[in-house]
Amino acid sequence: MLLMNRRTFLHSAATAGAATLALSNLTRFAQAAPAGRLNQSVCYWTYQKWFTLDALCQEAVRIGLKGIDLVTPAQYATVQKYGLTPAMTASTTPNDIPVGLNRLENHERVLASVKSDILAAAAAKVPNVITFSGNRKGLPDSEGLDNCVTGLNKIKAFAEEHGVTVNLELLNSKVNHKDYQADHTGWGVEMVKRVNSPRIKLLYDIYHMQIMEGDVIRTIRDNIAFIGHFHTGGNPGRNEITEKDELNYAAIAKAIADTGYTGFVAHEFNPIGTPPIKGLEDAYAICTV
Protein backbone atom coordinates (compact mmCIF):
# COMPACT_ATOMS: atom_id res chain seq x y z
CA MET A 1 0.00 0.00 0.00
CA LEU A 2 2.83 2.39 0.85
CA LEU A 3 4.53 1.63 -2.45
CA MET A 4 1.36 2.40 -4.42
CA ASN A 5 0.85 5.67 -2.53
CA ARG A 6 4.45 6.73 -3.17
CA ARG A 7 4.05 6.09 -6.88
CA THR A 8 0.86 8.10 -6.86
CA PHE A 9 2.70 10.88 -5.02
CA LEU A 10 5.60 10.95 -7.47
CA HIS A 11 3.25 11.07 -10.45
CA SER A 12 1.04 13.74 -8.90
CA ALA A 13 4.01 15.88 -7.91
CA ALA A 14 4.77 16.34 -11.60
CA THR A 15 1.38 17.96 -12.22
CA ALA A 16 0.20 21.43 -11.29
CA GLY A 17 -1.35 21.85 -7.84
CA ALA A 18 -0.12 18.48 -6.54
CA ALA A 19 2.19 19.75 -3.79
CA THR A 20 -0.52 19.87 -1.12
CA LEU A 21 -1.67 16.34 -1.93
CA ALA A 22 1.93 15.09 -1.90
CA LEU A 23 2.67 16.56 1.51
CA SER A 24 -0.61 15.18 2.83
CA ASN A 25 0.37 11.69 1.67
CA LEU A 26 3.78 12.02 3.30
CA THR A 27 2.15 13.11 6.55
CA ARG A 28 0.02 9.96 6.52
CA PHE A 29 3.15 7.86 6.00
CA ALA A 30 4.79 9.51 9.01
CA GLN A 31 1.74 8.95 11.18
CA ALA A 32 1.76 5.26 10.25
CA ALA A 33 5.43 4.76 11.21
CA PRO A 34 6.25 3.68 14.78
CA ALA A 35 7.52 6.72 16.63
CA GLY A 36 9.42 5.45 19.65
CA ARG A 37 10.84 7.80 22.28
CA LEU A 38 13.68 9.33 20.27
CA ASN A 39 13.61 12.07 17.66
CA GLN A 40 15.63 10.57 14.83
CA SER A 41 17.30 12.50 12.03
CA VAL A 42 19.68 11.87 9.12
CA CYS A 43 22.72 13.84 7.96
CA TYR A 44 22.07 15.09 4.45
CA TRP A 45 25.66 14.77 3.23
CA THR A 46 25.63 10.99 3.69
CA TYR A 47 22.82 10.56 1.13
CA GLN A 48 23.34 13.46 -1.27
CA LYS A 49 25.06 11.13 -3.75
CA TRP A 50 21.71 9.44 -4.35
CA PHE A 51 19.06 11.98 -3.33
CA THR A 52 18.33 15.65 -3.72
CA LEU A 53 17.40 17.29 -0.44
CA ASP A 54 13.74 17.25 -1.48
CA ALA A 55 13.89 13.54 -2.26
CA LEU A 56 15.68 12.70 0.99
CA CYS A 57 13.08 14.67 2.95
CA GLN A 58 10.34 12.60 1.30
CA GLU A 59 12.13 9.40 2.26
CA ALA A 60 12.71 10.70 5.80
CA VAL A 61 9.00 11.39 6.28
CA ARG A 62 8.08 8.00 4.83
CA ILE A 63 10.45 6.23 7.22
CA GLY A 64 9.38 8.25 10.28
CA LEU A 65 12.36 10.53 10.87
CA LYS A 66 11.76 13.93 12.45
CA GLY A 67 14.68 15.93 11.07
CA ILE A 68 17.54 16.44 8.64
CA ASP A 69 21.02 17.19 10.00
CA LEU A 70 23.83 19.40 8.75
CA VAL A 71 21.86 21.63 6.41
CA THR A 72 22.61 25.26 5.65
CA PRO A 73 20.26 28.16 6.40
CA ALA A 74 19.49 28.30 2.67
CA GLN A 75 18.19 24.72 2.95
CA TYR A 76 16.00 25.22 6.04
CA ALA A 77 12.85 26.00 4.04
CA THR A 78 13.13 22.82 1.96
CA VAL A 79 13.36 20.70 5.11
CA GLN A 80 10.58 22.54 6.93
CA LYS A 81 8.06 22.31 4.10
CA TYR A 82 7.92 18.56 4.78
CA GLY A 83 7.23 19.12 8.48
CA LEU A 84 10.80 18.14 9.37
CA THR A 85 13.23 20.01 11.63
CA PRO A 86 16.64 21.18 10.40
CA ALA A 87 18.10 19.49 13.45
CA MET A 88 21.68 20.74 13.15
CA THR A 89 23.04 23.62 11.08
CA ALA A 90 26.03 22.78 8.88
CA SER A 91 29.21 24.71 9.59
CA THR A 92 31.00 26.89 7.09
CA THR A 93 34.57 28.13 6.96
CA PRO A 94 36.14 29.51 9.11
CA ASN A 95 34.06 27.50 11.63
CA ASP A 96 35.43 24.11 10.65
CA ILE A 97 37.05 21.02 12.12
CA PRO A 98 40.81 21.78 11.99
CA VAL A 99 40.58 25.50 12.81
CA GLY A 100 38.54 26.01 15.95
CA LEU A 101 38.17 27.67 19.30
CA ASN A 102 41.25 26.15 20.92
CA ARG A 103 43.34 29.09 19.72
CA LEU A 104 42.64 32.66 20.81
CA GLU A 105 43.64 34.05 17.42
CA ASN A 106 40.77 32.11 15.81
CA HIS A 107 38.06 33.44 18.09
CA GLU A 108 37.03 36.60 16.25
CA ARG A 109 36.39 34.99 12.87
CA VAL A 110 35.08 31.65 14.15
CA LEU A 111 32.66 33.30 16.56
CA ALA A 112 31.47 35.70 13.86
CA SER A 113 30.52 32.64 11.80
CA VAL A 114 28.81 30.99 14.78
CA LYS A 115 26.88 34.20 15.53
CA SER A 116 25.67 34.34 11.94
CA ASP A 117 24.51 30.72 12.21
CA ILE A 118 22.72 31.46 15.50
CA LEU A 119 20.84 34.38 13.98
CA ALA A 120 19.73 32.31 10.98
CA ALA A 121 18.74 29.39 13.22
CA ALA A 122 16.78 31.58 15.61
CA ALA A 123 14.87 33.24 12.77
CA ALA A 124 13.83 29.83 11.44
CA LYS A 125 13.26 28.25 14.88
CA VAL A 126 16.11 25.78 14.28
CA PRO A 127 17.46 24.35 17.57
CA ASN A 128 21.18 23.73 17.03
CA VAL A 129 24.38 25.01 15.48
CA ILE A 130 27.76 23.31 15.46
CA THR A 131 31.32 24.28 16.28
CA PHE A 132 34.67 22.57 16.85
CA SER A 133 37.76 22.64 19.04
CA GLY A 134 40.24 22.59 16.16
CA ASN A 135 43.43 20.54 15.89
CA ARG A 136 46.14 20.51 18.55
CA LYS A 137 49.20 21.36 16.43
CA GLY A 138 51.29 20.96 19.56
CA LEU A 139 48.91 22.84 21.83
CA PRO A 140 48.60 21.19 25.28
CA ASP A 141 45.11 19.86 26.02
CA SER A 142 44.82 22.05 29.13
CA GLU A 143 45.57 25.22 27.15
CA GLY A 144 43.21 24.22 24.35
CA LEU A 145 40.49 23.61 26.93
CA ASP A 146 41.06 27.01 28.54
CA ASN A 147 40.84 28.72 25.16
CA CYS A 148 37.65 26.89 24.16
CA VAL A 149 36.07 27.94 27.46
CA THR A 150 37.11 31.54 26.80
CA GLY A 151 35.63 31.44 23.30
CA LEU A 152 32.36 29.83 24.32
CA ASN A 153 31.99 32.29 27.18
CA LYS A 154 32.06 35.02 24.54
CA ILE A 155 29.12 33.47 22.68
CA LYS A 156 26.95 31.93 25.41
CA ALA A 157 24.87 35.01 26.23
CA PHE A 158 24.15 35.52 22.53
CA ALA A 159 23.06 31.87 22.20
CA GLU A 160 20.91 32.11 25.33
CA GLU A 161 19.26 35.31 24.10
CA HIS A 162 18.33 33.70 20.79
CA GLY A 163 17.34 30.29 22.15
CA VAL A 164 19.82 28.31 20.05
CA THR A 165 22.21 25.65 21.37
CA VAL A 166 25.86 25.67 20.30
CA ASN A 167 27.17 22.10 20.14
CA LEU A 168 30.91 21.45 20.09
CA GLU A 169 31.49 18.12 18.40
CA LEU A 170 33.58 15.31 19.85
CA LEU A 171 35.57 13.53 17.10
CA ASN A 172 38.14 10.75 17.06
CA SER A 173 41.77 11.69 16.44
CA LYS A 174 42.83 8.09 15.84
CA VAL A 175 41.25 7.25 12.48
CA ASN A 176 39.36 10.11 10.84
CA HIS A 177 40.49 13.45 12.26
CA LYS A 178 44.14 13.21 13.20
CA ASP A 179 45.23 15.67 15.87
CA TYR A 180 41.70 16.93 16.69
CA GLN A 181 41.69 18.18 20.27
CA ALA A 182 38.14 17.48 21.52
CA ASP A 183 38.62 13.73 21.20
CA HIS A 184 37.49 12.53 24.64
CA THR A 185 34.23 12.99 26.51
CA GLY A 186 35.91 13.99 29.76
CA TRP A 187 37.67 16.91 28.07
CA GLY A 188 34.41 18.09 26.53
CA VAL A 189 32.41 17.69 29.73
CA GLU A 190 34.92 19.74 31.69
CA MET A 191 34.63 22.46 29.05
CA VAL A 192 30.82 22.54 29.21
CA LYS A 193 30.86 22.53 33.02
CA ARG A 194 33.17 25.53 33.11
CA VAL A 195 31.13 27.51 30.57
CA ASN A 196 28.00 26.69 32.59
CA SER A 197 25.31 27.62 30.09
CA PRO A 198 22.17 25.71 29.06
CA ARG A 199 22.97 26.72 25.47
CA ILE A 200 26.50 25.28 25.31
CA LYS A 201 26.56 21.50 24.90
CA LEU A 202 28.44 18.62 23.28
CA LEU A 203 27.63 16.84 20.07
CA TYR A 204 28.35 13.28 21.18
CA ASP A 205 29.21 11.23 18.11
CA ILE A 206 28.82 7.60 19.14
CA TYR A 207 31.03 6.27 16.34
CA HIS A 208 33.88 8.63 17.18
CA MET A 209 33.75 8.05 20.91
CA GLN A 210 33.62 4.28 20.47
CA ILE A 211 36.95 4.52 18.67
CA MET A 212 38.54 6.74 21.32
CA GLU A 213 37.20 5.36 24.60
CA GLY A 214 34.31 2.89 24.30
CA ASP A 215 32.08 2.40 27.38
CA VAL A 216 29.42 4.32 25.44
CA ILE A 217 26.30 3.59 27.48
CA ARG A 218 27.85 4.37 30.87
CA THR A 219 29.40 7.56 29.46
CA ILE A 220 26.06 8.72 28.05
CA ARG A 221 24.20 7.98 31.29
CA ASP A 222 26.78 9.82 33.39
CA ASN A 223 27.02 12.86 31.13
CA ILE A 224 23.64 13.32 29.48
CA ALA A 225 23.26 16.76 31.08
CA PHE A 226 26.18 17.99 28.96
CA ILE A 227 25.09 16.45 25.64
CA GLY A 228 22.91 18.41 23.24
CA HIS A 229 22.93 16.15 20.18
CA PHE A 230 23.94 12.67 19.01
CA HIS A 231 25.33 11.18 15.80
CA THR A 232 25.42 7.49 14.98
CA GLY A 233 27.55 5.36 12.67
CA GLY A 234 28.63 1.75 12.43
CA ASN A 235 32.09 0.82 13.68
CA PRO A 236 34.42 -0.16 12.14
CA GLY A 237 33.98 1.71 8.86
CA ARG A 238 31.26 4.28 9.61
CA ASN A 239 28.84 2.38 7.41
CA GLU A 240 25.32 1.12 8.14
CA ILE A 241 24.28 -0.09 11.56
CA THR A 242 24.24 -3.89 11.11
CA GLU A 243 24.81 -7.13 12.98
CA LYS A 244 28.52 -6.73 12.08
CA ASP A 245 28.72 -3.54 14.12
CA GLU A 246 30.62 -3.72 17.40
CA LEU A 247 28.10 -1.22 18.82
CA ASN A 248 24.72 -2.42 20.08
CA TYR A 249 22.62 0.48 18.85
CA ALA A 250 19.33 -0.89 20.15
CA ALA A 251 20.77 -0.90 23.68
CA ILE A 252 22.39 2.52 23.18
CA ALA A 253 19.13 4.01 21.88
CA LYS A 254 17.24 2.62 24.87
CA ALA A 255 19.85 4.02 27.26
CA ILE A 256 19.56 7.48 25.68
CA ALA A 257 15.74 7.38 25.78
CA ASP A 258 15.76 6.17 29.40
CA THR A 259 17.61 9.35 30.46
CA GLY A 260 14.63 11.42 29.31
CA TYR A 261 16.67 13.03 26.51
CA THR A 262 14.43 15.06 24.17
CA GLY A 263 16.89 16.21 21.49
CA PHE A 264 17.83 14.51 18.22
CA VAL A 265 19.73 11.34 17.41
CA ALA A 266 21.00 11.75 13.85
CA HIS A 267 22.21 8.92 11.64
CA GLU A 268 25.54 9.76 10.03
CA PHE A 269 26.90 6.77 8.16
CA ASN A 270 28.16 6.13 4.64
CA PRO A 271 25.73 3.68 2.98
CA ILE A 272 27.34 0.79 1.10
CA GLY A 273 24.30 -1.49 0.85
CA THR A 274 21.79 -1.74 -2.00
CA PRO A 275 19.51 0.11 -2.10
CA PRO A 276 21.25 2.78 0.01
CA ILE A 277 18.00 3.86 1.69
CA LYS A 278 17.57 0.44 3.31
CA GLY A 279 20.36 1.26 5.75
CA LEU A 280 18.42 4.29 6.94
CA GLU A 281 15.21 2.28 7.25
CA ASP A 282 17.07 -0.32 9.33
CA ALA A 283 18.76 2.30 11.50
CA TYR A 284 15.40 3.90 12.24
CA ALA A 285 13.91 0.54 13.21
CA ILE A 286 16.85 -0.36 15.44
CA CYS A 287 16.72 2.98 17.28
CA THR A 288 12.93 3.04 17.66
CA VAL A 289 12.69 2.18 21.35
PDB file of all heavy atoms in Angstrom, residues 128-144:
ATOM      1  N   ASN A 128      19.761  23.984  16.768  1.00  0.00           N
ATOM      2  CA  ASN A 128      21.179  23.733  17.029  1.00  0.00           C
ATOM      3  C   ASN A 128      22.098  24.269  15.949  1.00  0.00           C
ATOM      4  O   ASN A 128      21.778  24.229  14.751  1.00  0.00           O
ATOM      5  CB  ASN A 128      21.429  22.220  17.117  1.00  0.00           C
ATOM      6  CG  ASN A 128      20.714  21.559  18.268  1.00  0.00           C
ATOM      7  OD1 ASN A 128      20.977  21.866  19.427  1.00  0.00           O
ATOM      8  ND2 ASN A 128      19.807  20.637  17.960  1.00  0.00           N
ATOM      9  N   VAL A 129      23.272  24.732  16.389  1.00  0.00           N
ATOM     10  CA  VAL A 129      24.379  25.009  15.480  1.00  0.00           C
ATOM     11  C   VAL A 129      25.612  24.283  16.009  1.00  0.00           C
ATOM     12  O   VAL A 129      25.658  23.877  17.166  1.00  0.00           O
ATOM     13  CB  VAL A 129      24.658  26.522  15.334  1.00  0.00           C
ATOM     14  CG1 VAL A 129      23.428  27.253  14.833  1.00  0.00           C
ATOM     15  CG2 VAL A 129      25.131  27.128  16.654  1.00  0.00           C
ATOM     16  N   ILE A 130      26.603  24.137  15.143  1.00  0.00           N
ATOM     17  CA  ILE A 130      27.759  23.306  15.458  1.00  0.00           C
ATOM     18  C   ILE A 130      29.028  24.134  15.500  1.00  0.00           C
ATOM     19  O   ILE A 130      29.139  25.167  14.825  1.00  0.00           O
ATOM     20  CB  ILE A 130      27.885  22.172  14.405  1.00  0.00           C
ATOM     21  CG1 ILE A 130      28.847  21.071  14.851  1.00  0.00           C
ATOM     22  CG2 ILE A 130      28.303  22.733  13.048  1.00  0.00           C
ATOM     23  CD1 ILE A 130      28.800  19.835  13.954  1.00  0.00           C
ATOM     24  N   THR A 131      29.984  23.701  16.309  1.00  0.00           N
ATOM     25  CA  THR A 131      31.320  24.284  16.284  1.00  0.00           C
ATOM     26  C   THR A 131      32.319  23.204  16.693  1.00  0.00           C
ATOM     27  O   THR A 131      31.937  22.077  17.025  1.00  0.00           O
ATOM     28  CB  THR A 131      31.414  25.541  17.171  1.00  0.00           C
ATOM     29  OG1 THR A 131      32.605  26.247  16.854  1.00  0.00           O
ATOM     30  CG2 THR A 131      31.396  25.191  18.662  1.00  0.00           C
ATOM     31  N   PHE A 132      33.626  23.568  16.678  1.00  0.00           N
ATOM     32  CA  PHE A 132      34.674  22.571  16.855  1.00  0.00           C
ATOM     33  C   PHE A 132      35.814  23.129  17.705  1.00  0.00           C
ATOM     34  O   PHE A 132      36.004  24.344  17.798  1.00  0.00           O
ATOM     35  CB  PHE A 132      35.231  22.146  15.488  1.00  0.00           C
ATOM     36  CG  PHE A 132      34.169  21.703  14.530  1.00  0.00           C
ATOM     37  CD1 PHE A 132      33.638  22.589  13.605  1.00  0.00           C
ATOM     38  CD2 PHE A 132      33.674  20.408  14.567  1.00  0.00           C
ATOM     39  CE1 PHE A 132      32.646  22.195  12.724  1.00  0.00           C
ATOM     40  CE2 PHE A 132      32.675  19.996  13.686  1.00  0.00           C
ATOM     41  CZ  PHE A 132      32.163  20.891  12.764  1.00  0.00           C
ATOM     42  N   SER A 133      36.592  22.220  18.255  1.00  0.00           N
ATOM     43  CA  SER A 133      37.763  22.637  19.037  1.00  0.00           C
ATOM     44  C   SER A 133      38.897  23.078  18.130  1.00  0.00           C
ATOM     45  O   SER A 133      39.647  23.998  18.460  1.00  0.00           O
ATOM     46  CB  SER A 133      38.242  21.483  19.919  1.00  0.00           C
ATOM     47  OG  SER A 133      38.793  20.431  19.130  1.00  0.00           O
ATOM     48  N   GLY A 134      39.057  22.410  16.993  1.00  0.00           N
ATOM     49  CA  GLY A 134      40.240  22.588  16.159  1.00  0.00           C
ATOM     50  C   GLY A 134      41.306  21.558  16.508  1.00  0.00           C
ATOM     51  O   GLY A 134      41.190  20.813  17.494  1.00  0.00           O
ATOM     52  N   ASN A 135      42.338  21.489  15.680  1.00  0.00           N
ATOM     53  CA  ASN A 135      43.427  20.539  15.894  1.00  0.00           C
ATOM     54  C   ASN A 135      44.440  21.063  16.908  1.00  0.00           C
ATOM     55  O   ASN A 135      44.570  22.274  17.116  1.00  0.00           O
ATOM     56  CB  ASN A 135      44.137  20.244  14.574  1.00  0.00           C
ATOM     57  CG  ASN A 135      43.267  19.430  13.632  1.00  0.00           C
ATOM     58  OD1 ASN A 135      42.193  18.955  14.011  1.00  0.00           O
ATOM     59  ND2 ASN A 135      43.720  19.273  12.398  1.00  0.00           N
ATOM     60  N   ARG A 136      45.176  20.142  17.518  1.00  0.00           N
ATOM     61  CA  ARG A 136      46.145  20.513  18.552  1.00  0.00           C
ATOM     62  C   ARG A 136      47.316  21.309  17.971  1.00  0.00           C
ATOM     63  O   ARG A 136      47.667  22.362  18.476  1.00  0.00           O
ATOM     64  CB  ARG A 136      46.685  19.247  19.243  1.00  0.00           C
ATOM     65  CG  ARG A 136      45.692  18.536  20.136  1.00  0.00           C
ATOM     66  CD  ARG A 136      46.354  17.319  20.794  1.00  0.00           C
ATOM     67  NE  ARG A 136      45.478  16.674  21.743  1.00  0.00           N
ATOM     68  CZ  ARG A 136      44.589  15.722  21.432  1.00  0.00           C
ATOM     69  NH1 ARG A 136      44.470  15.333  20.173  1.00  0.00           N
ATOM     70  NH2 ARG A 136      43.827  15.189  22.364  1.00  0.00           N
ATOM     71  N   LYS A 137      47.974  20.754  16.993  1.00  0.00           N
ATOM     72  CA  LYS A 137      49.200  21.356  16.430  1.00  0.00           C
ATOM     73  C   LYS A 137      50.177  21.710  17.535  1.00  0.00           C
ATOM     74  O   LYS A 137      50.757  22.799  17.565  1.00  0.00           O
ATOM     75  CB  LYS A 137      48.859  22.588  15.587  1.00  0.00           C
ATOM     76  CG  LYS A 137      48.048  22.266  14.342  1.00  0.00           C
ATOM     77  CD  LYS A 137      47.802  23.495  13.493  1.00  0.00           C
ATOM     78  CE  LYS A 137      47.010  23.137  12.246  1.00  0.00           C
ATOM     79  NZ  LYS A 137      46.729  24.333  11.399  1.00  0.00           N
ATOM     80  N   GLY A 138      50.355  20.774  18.464  1.00  0.00           N
ATOM     81  CA  GLY A 138      51.292  20.956  19.556  1.00  0.00           C
ATOM     82  C   GLY A 138      50.745  21.663  20.772  1.00  0.00           C
ATOM     83  O   GLY A 138      51.435  21.783  21.788  1.00  0.00           O
ATOM     84  N   LEU A 139      49.505  22.118  20.709  1.00  0.00           N
ATOM     85  CA  LEU A 139      48.911  22.841  21.834  1.00  0.00           C
ATOM     86  C   LEU A 139      48.531  21.859  22.943  1.00  0.00           C
ATOM     87  O   LEU A 139      47.820  20.883  22.704  1.00  0.00           O
ATOM     88  CB  LEU A 139      47.659  23.583  21.354  1.00  0.00           C
ATOM     89  CG  LEU A 139      47.008  24.569  22.330  1.00  0.00           C
ATOM     90  CD1 LEU A 139      47.889  25.802  22.492  1.00  0.00           C
ATOM     91  CD2 LEU A 139      45.629  24.962  21.810  1.00  0.00           C
ATOM     92  N   PRO A 140      48.977  22.081  24.182  1.00  0.00           N
ATOM     93  CA  PRO A 140      48.596  21.189  25.281  1.00  0.00           C
ATOM     94  C   PRO A 140      47.076  21.152  25.460  1.00  0.00           C
ATOM     95  O   PRO A 140      46.393  22.164  25.255  1.00  0.00           O
ATOM     96  CB  PRO A 140      49.273  21.810  26.507  1.00  0.00           C
ATOM     97  CG  PRO A 140      50.387  22.633  25.949  1.00  0.00           C
ATOM     98  CD  PRO A 140      49.905  23.144  24.631  1.00  0.00           C
ATOM     99  N   ASP A 141      46.554  20.004  25.857  1.00  0.00           N
ATOM    100  CA  ASP A 141      45.106  19.861  26.020  1.00  0.00           C
ATOM    101  C   ASP A 141      44.555  20.844  27.040  1.00  0.00           C
ATOM    102  O   ASP A 141      43.435  21.361  26.877  1.00  0.00           O
ATOM    103  CB  ASP A 141      44.757  18.436  26.432  1.00  0.00           C
ATOM    104  CG  ASP A 141      44.823  17.464  25.266  1.00  0.00           C
ATOM    105  OD1 ASP A 141      45.032  17.913  24.120  1.00  0.00           O
ATOM    106  OD2 ASP A 141      44.668  16.248  25.499  1.00  0.00           O
ATOM    107  N   SER A 142      45.302  21.117  28.095  1.00  0.00           N
ATOM    108  CA  SER A 142      44.824  22.048  29.128  1.00  0.00           C
ATOM    109  C   SER A 142      44.680  23.457  28.571  1.00  0.00           C
ATOM    110  O   SER A 142      43.705  24.166  28.868  1.00  0.00           O
ATOM    111  CB  SER A 142      45.764  22.047  30.326  1.00  0.00           C
ATOM    112  OG  SER A 142      47.080  22.408  29.931  1.00  0.00           O
ATOM    113  N   GLU A 143      45.635  23.878  27.727  1.00  0.00           N
ATOM    114  CA  GLU A 143      45.571  25.220  27.147  1.00  0.00           C
ATOM    115  C   GLU A 143      44.446  25.299  26.112  1.00  0.00           C
ATOM    116  O   GLU A 143      43.721  26.300  26.042  1.00  0.00           O
ATOM    117  CB  GLU A 143      46.907  25.582  26.504  1.00  0.00           C
ATOM    118  CG  GLU A 143      46.967  27.017  26.006  1.00  0.00           C
ATOM    119  CD  GLU A 143      48.327  27.398  25.460  1.00  0.00           C
ATOM    120  OE1 GLU A 143      49.292  26.620  25.666  1.00  0.00           O
ATOM    121  OE2 GLU A 143      48.442  28.463  24.817  1.00  0.00           O
ATOM    122  N   GLY A 144      44.302  24.247  25.311  1.00  0.00           N
ATOM    123  CA  GLY A 144      43.213  24.221  24.349  1.00  0.00           C
ATOM    124  C   GLY A 144      41.860  24.278  25.030  1.00  0.00           C
ATOM    125  O   GLY A 144      40.935  24.947  24.558  1.00  0.00           O
TER     126      GLY A 144
END
